[in-house]
Amino acid sequence: MIKNLFITFEGCEGTGKSSQLKLLVNTLKKTPIKFIATREPGGSKEGERIREILLNHRLTIQPFCETLLHMAARYQNLKKVIFPALKSGKWVLCDRYTDSTIAYQGYGHGVGPQKIKKISKIAFGDLEPDITFILDMPAKKALKRAKLRKIDFNRYERMGISFHNKVRRAFLKIAKKDSKRCFVLNAEKDRKEIHQEIKEIINKTYKTKLK
Ligand code: TYD
């Protein structure tokens, strides 16, 4: 029997990870596979409230406080959404997860990756995604793409390019360190082509037959 998978999508703003998640949702809908899709920060009702604080650029949040808020939202999402779904045999697709905290707060804000890993271990135990897709492209181009879609920019979209470059480098570092779990995809390719690659990776790794 195929194991139920925990799949996360990561990358800088504007790399198209949310649309890749949606494409995978549409593919899974055509199969008997039971799944849920969630996002971070957010997912649970309470986590979505924490998200509002986190994205509000009018609030000045200390980097470590920001880190803990992301983790607080994650704790709710895990307990209320992710764990129950995995326990009941469903696949979980999550738009961002711990790698984002390591990349944005750990490296981007300089909180340090080790601190985040330590707190994650205490709070979340050993749960790790089975597969992480990292959508990658030059941060400047991606940020431009993200900003085209909006008129009001959130806390992260307002950060300078050097921050986003650090975040991109961090994702690539994470991928290099954990190459069994992480798959870096060229986000500049056509979205359908990327979706095809995602399906092929899942099929190859887990002997599924996603079409
Ligand atoms: P998201 O909804 O994915 O924004 P977008 O789709 O526009 O990229 O995520 C919201 C923001 O939260 C995003 O800019 C990255 C940031 N973030 C962190 O800084 N740390 C985290 O742990 C997570 C989950 C997100």
Side-chain angles (χ1 to χ4, degrees), residues 66-78:
E66 187 180 311
T67 305
L68 295 174
L69 284 174
H70 276 292
M71 291 184 157
R74 177 161 309 128
Y75 192 83
Q76 282 291 111
N77 197 25
L78 264 183

Side-chain angles (χ1 to χ4, degrees), residues 90-103:
K90 289 179 185 155
W91 287 28
V92 172
L93 313 187
C94 194
D95 193 340
R96 297 192 182 281
Y97 193 64
T98 300
D99 295 324
S100 276
T101 320
I102 292 174

Side-chain angles (χ1 to χ4, degrees), residues 13 17 40-41 51 70 74 96 100-101 104-105 156:
E13 348 281 319
K17 59 184 177 42
E40 296 206 344
R51 179 187 175 93
H70 276 292
R74 177 161 309 128
R96 297 192 182 281
S100 276
T101 320
Y104 282 79
Q105 282 70 46
Y156 300 99

Side-chain angles (χ1 to χ4, degrees), residues 44 73-85 87 123-124:
S44 71
R74 177 161 309 128
Y75 192 83
Q76 282 291 111
N77 197 25
L78 264 183
K79 289 280 171 178
K80 293 183 84 173
V81 183
I82 298 178
F83 275 144
K87 262 194 186 156
F124 317 125

Side-chain angles (χ1 to χ4, degrees), residues 16-176:
K17 59 184 177 42
S18 309
S19 31
Q20 286 305 324
L21 185 146
K22 280 185 203 128
L23 287 172
L24 188 57
V25 162
N26 291 338
T27 293
L28 291 180
K29 274 186 184 162
K30 292 180 221 144
T31 74
I33 295 167
K34 291 198 168 39
F35 70 93
I36 60 137
T38 182
R39 70 170 179 180
E40 296 206 344
S44 71
K45 200 166 85 187
E46 300 74 16
E48 290 293 328
R49 298 286 283 274
I50 299 174
R51 179 187 175 93
E52 285 167 23
I53 298 173
L54 279 164
L55 296 192
N56 187 339
H57 65 87
R58 288 176 188 88
L59 304 174
T60 313
I61 309 177
Q62 292 299 311
F64 192 53
C65 175
E66 187 180 311
T67 305
L68 295 174
L69 284 174
H70 276 292
M71 291 184 157
R74 177 161 309 128
Y75 192 83
Q76 282 291 111
N77 197 25
L78 264 183
K79 289 280 171 178
K80 293 183 84 173
V81 183
I82 298 178
F83 275 144
L86 289 175
K87 262 194 186 156
S88 70
K90 289 179 185 155
W91 287 28
V92 172
L93 313 187
C94 194
D95 193 340
R96 297 192 182 281
Y97 193 64
T98 300
D99 295 324
S100 276
T101 320
I102 292 174
Y104 282 79
Q105 282 70 46
Y107 287 96
H109 281 323
V111 169
Q114 290 312 328
K115 216 185 234 177
I116 291 162
K117 284 181 192 165
K118 266 191 199 162
I119 306 170
S120 294
K121 176 100 181 151
I122 295 166
F124 317 125
D126 290 323
L127 182 75
E128 278 244 309
D130 297 294
I131 307 182
T132 297
F133 293 110
I134 297 176
L135 278 293
D136 177 67
M137 65 186 276
K140 201 172 171 184
K141 263 190 187 171
L143 195 60
K144 208 170 159 191
R145 220 156 82 164
K147 286 186 167 180
L148 275 178
R149 301 193 299 239
K150 299 186 169 177
I151 40 163
D152 190 21
F153 306 136
N154 71 33
R155 171 188 314 284
Y156 300 99
E157 289 154 347
R158 282 165 193 265
M159 299 294 294
I161 189 63
S162 71
F163 175 82
H164 290 282
N165 278 329
K166 272 193 230 168
V167 172
R168 181 194 186 196
R169 280 198 299 272
F171 277 127
L172 294 176
K173 206 169 177 167
I174 292 167
K176 211 171 166 189

